[in-house]
Structure formats: structure tokens, C-alpha cells
Amino acid sequence: MSMVTGAGSGIGRAIALLFASEGSKVVVTDVNDKGGEETANMIRGNGGDALFVHADVSRASDCENAVREAVKRYGQLDILVNNAGIDLPRAKPSADFSEDEFDKVISVNLKGAWLMSKYAIPEMLRRSKGIIVNIASVAGIRPLPLAMPYSVSKAGLIMLTKSMAVEYGNRGIRVNAIAPGWVSTPMAVRAASAYGTTYEEFTKQFLQRIPLGRFADPTEIAKVVLFLASDDSSYMNGAVVVVDGAISIA
Ligand code: NAD
């Protein structure tokens, strides 16, 4: 049984759908009830088994409740994908961000992944078995221009991944991260407006810098998550898998 946070849209939805098509029961969580219910209904429509639970990952009580509901319904929690994330409404230099803007991004992108893990790990330890995959970003390795709080949150998520991998590896839990480059989702569309440009201009500008010449499709990230969530990656722990069409090294 797997839980995917922020599964009501974009990459999270693609992960939830792929997991379900591989036979996993999926707990879809999101702060957006409409999107979350839609994903769960898509899974059920394809003959799968899904439960939607409203959860704002930045709230401890929501995370605790989501894990409780997942275990109540399916008896166990095998896989957690910490995918929920937010971007910044406007691109600007570090000193221009407000305290609120900084706190918000850190509390969802970084604290949220820790909080959901905090409540999922005891369930995994109960069976000495579990897998956590964190959706970071290449922004956590190389700063995204004019997006310091986002980049810092993703760098923190990478260190959260490594810390938990070292602590829990010998107790049956593997923790890995994926660092995507640009992916065609609503977040990428919002990023264009944060940079004060249209999505068309934005993609044109970034496409020139991506050696593969295109943004990723969410399913191309989901397939790597599936690999990290399967026994095929049994010796991977604490890794950061870059899936970015080589933009971060170009
Ligand atoms: P998206 O906006 O399409 O989806 C994000 C989902 O997270 C939404 O359904 C949203 O409601 C949910 N969410 C937001 N705040 C939440 C909260 N507090 N609690 C629970 N759910 C919440 O974006 P996406 O592109 O699919 O992003 C998914 C993840 O991938 C994010 O962590 C993002 O930072 C990361 N990422 C995206 C890209 C990209 O180019 N799109 C690149 C690298 C990494």
C-alpha cells in the first residue's frame, strides 16, 4: 500500500496512477480536495483501489490523521512518496522575500515531508519494512534563479533524505530522493508567471538550455519513483536521482 502526498495534480497524480496500474492500493492525499478526489476516482475508474484523505502536509495533525486513516483502511503502510510542494508567486532576489513567503515554502516543501515521514516511519518500523521517496528538485542542487526559499527547501529535503536513509537503513527502511528538472505541470505554468513571462516564452527560453530539448512529462518522473519504490532498487538508499534532461550540468 502506498501513500502519495500532493497527488491531486501533476507529478503526484502521475505517480498515484502508475502505482495503481501496478496493482498498489493508493492513499491519495492533498490539501486540494477536488484534485485529490479526482485522482482517487480516476484510479477507481481504472479498476484500482484508492482512498482520498485531505491532508495539509505542513500540519502535524493532518499528517498523523492521514497515516492513521491509511492504516485503518489498508492495515499497513509500505511506501510513502513525499511529493506535495509549492512554488513562489514571484521570482526575486533573496533579500526581497518576506518572512511569510520564506516560512510558507519551507513549511510545505521541507517540514511537510518530515512531518509525514515522522508519522509513517513508526508504521514501517512495526513491520521492519518501508520505502520513502522524496520529490526534491535540481533546484536543491543548483540554485533556481531568483527562487532562494524554494531552492533552500529542496536542498533541505535532500539532506532530510540522507539523514533518514542513514538512520533507518538498518531497520528495513530505504529513503531516496528524485531531483527533477522542468516538468510539464501546473507548477511550471505558474513559474512562468512568477518570472513575469508567458508559458510559451518561458518554455522557449528554458528549452534552449535543456539538452533533451523539452520539459519532462510527469509520467517520466513517476517511472523513476516506481523504480525507487520497488525491489529493483534494493541497494539504493540515500541516493538523489537526477531526472532533468541534463539541464543542471549544461
Ligand atoms: P502541482 O502544483 O501540479 O502539484 C502539487 C500538488 O501539491 C497540488 O495538488 C497541490 O494542491 C498539492 N499541495 C500544495 N500544498 C500542499 C500542502 N500543504 N499539503 C498537501 N498538498 C499540497 O506541482 P507539480 O509540478 O506536480 O509538483 C510536484 C512536486 O514536484 C513538488 O514538490 C515540486 O516542487 C516538485 N518539482 C516540480 C517540478 C516542475 O517543473 N513541475 C520540477 C522539480 C520538482
Side-chain angles (χ1 to χ4, degrees):
M1 196 285 285
S2 49
M3 178 190 287
V4 184
T5 70
S9 172
I11 297 171
R13 173 173 285 174
I15 296 166
L17 292 176
L18 182 61
F19 278 19
S21 76
E22 292 290 318
S24 179
K25 293 161 181 156
V26 184
V27 175
V28 171
T29 74
D30 206 294
V31 74
N32 173 358
D33 294 355
K34 188 168 174 284
E37 290 285 11
E38 250 171 40
T39 303
N41 282 332
M42 287 164 86
I43 290 173
R44 291 184 206 113
N46 294 336
D49 190 344
L51 170 72
F52 170 67
V53 182
H54 172 95
D56 176 344
V57 293
S58 67
R59 295 169 59 101
S61 55
D62 281 15
C63 295
E64 189 174 19
N65 179 59
V67 171
R68 194 187 308 121
E69 289 298 313
V71 174
K72 196 164 98 189
R73 169 78 163 254
Y74 297 115
Q76 64 198 63
L77 178 54
D78 304 307
I79 299 161
L80 168 65
V81 182
N82 285 310
N83 163 81
I86 56 170
D87 46 326
L88 293 153
R90 185 108 15 101
K92 46 194 170 184
S94 293
D96 294 355
F97 283 107
S98 69
E99 189 178 355
D100 274 359
E101 286 171 324
F102 183 89
D103 284 350
K104 200 162 174 227
V105 170
I106 296 292
S107 75
V108 176
N109 295 7
L110 176 55
K111 190 178 85 171
W114 166 64
L115 280 176
M116 198 57 98
S117 305
K118 174 178 166 63
Y119 294 105
I121 285 171
E123 278 307 319
M124 294 173 171
L125 288 176
R126 214 163 45 82
R127 302 172 56 244
S128 301
K129 194 172 163 33
I131 291 171
I132 299 177
V133 182
N134 294 324
I135 308 302
S137 167
V138 286
I141 298 169
R142 173 185 166 159
L144 184 65
L146 304 175
M148 176 278 293
Y150 182 83
S151 300
V152 167
S153 74
K154 295 300 187 178
L157 185 53
I158 287 170
M159 191 50 72
L160 175 72
T161 303
K162 293 180 181 179
S163 300
M164 295 194 302
V166 168
E167 290 166 0
Y168 295 105
N170 66 358
R171 298 168 76 185
I173 302 176
R174 294 191 295 114
V175 188
N176 293 290
I178 293 183
W182 287 110
V183 187
S184 300
T185 70
M187 183 181 282
V189 176
R190 289 194 303 272
S193 86
Y195 284 102
T197 175
T198 63
Y199 188 59
E200 288 67 36
E201 281 170 31
F202 179 72
T203 44
K204 215 183 292 163
Q205 182 193 330
F206 271 101
L207 288 185
Q208 288 164 8
R209 294 182 36 208
I210 304 171
L212 285 187
R214 61 181 178 84
F215 282 21
D217 185 85
T219 57
E220 293 176 291
I221 308 302
K223 286 177 194 165
V224 184
V225 180
L226 180 67
F227 169 68
L228 290 176
S230 77
D231 287 342
D232 287 343
S233 60
S234 50
Y235 203 63
M236 294 185 73
N237 189 31
V240 182
V241 182
V242 173
V243 187
D244 72 340
I247 190 174
S248 62
I249 52 166

